[in-house]
Amino acid sequence: MQKMLTTKLLNGLVSQGYRYCYSKTTAIVGDDANICITLVPVKTEPSLINLPEKFDTYFDLAEEPVQMALGVDETIILVDLVDMNAFKEVSP
């Protein structure tokens, strides 16, 4: 299940122990947006060298995602709540 990133969702993830998120940026065609960023929360700090293939980078949940939750022009920010369970055991 994917949900739009909000400050409430972000605060809930942090309260559950999530500190980082994998990120995948995709170009889309839409009336309101032309970029989609999908975030997958994880509890341990990822390594840029060993990111899972489908991700571009990762963020600290206390930094860029806070700004993203406030809105980014022509960009949809989604949080993948299904994939976060698949990557919970990934370590740096």
Side-chain angles (χ1 to χ4, degrees):
M1 166 180 22
Q2 294 184 338
K3 292 196 171 239
M4 296 288 287
L5 179 65
T6 63
T7 54
K8 183 177 179 178
L9 176 57
L10 189 57
N11 290 336
L13 291 169
V14 170
S15 73
Q16 292 176 36
Y18 291 93
R19 298 289 177 252
Y20 301 92
C21 59
Y22 293 119
S23 175
K24 176 69 176 173
T25 303
T26 310
I28 61 172
V29 177
D31 294 335
D32 297 337
N34 53 18
I35 296 173
C36 178
I37 299 174
T38 304
L39 305 175
V40 177
V42 291
K43 293 184 177 181
T44 58
E45 184 172 8
S47 166
L48 279 176
I49 297 171
N50 295 319
L51 283 178
E53 252 183 67
K54 70 181 197 175
F55 299 104
D56 305 317
T57 192
Y58 76 92
F59 299 115
D60 183 315
L61 283 179
E63 295 179 13
E64 293 89 353
V66 172
Q67 296 173 352
M68 292 177 192
L70 299 175
V72 179
D73 290 343
E74 299 192 23
T75 304
I76 296 172
I77 314 291
L78 300 174
V79 179
D80 191 327
L81 300 174
V82 173
D83 270 357
M84 71 186 218
N85 294 319
F87 293 104
K88 67 181 175 185
E89 299 300 324
V90 174
S91 59

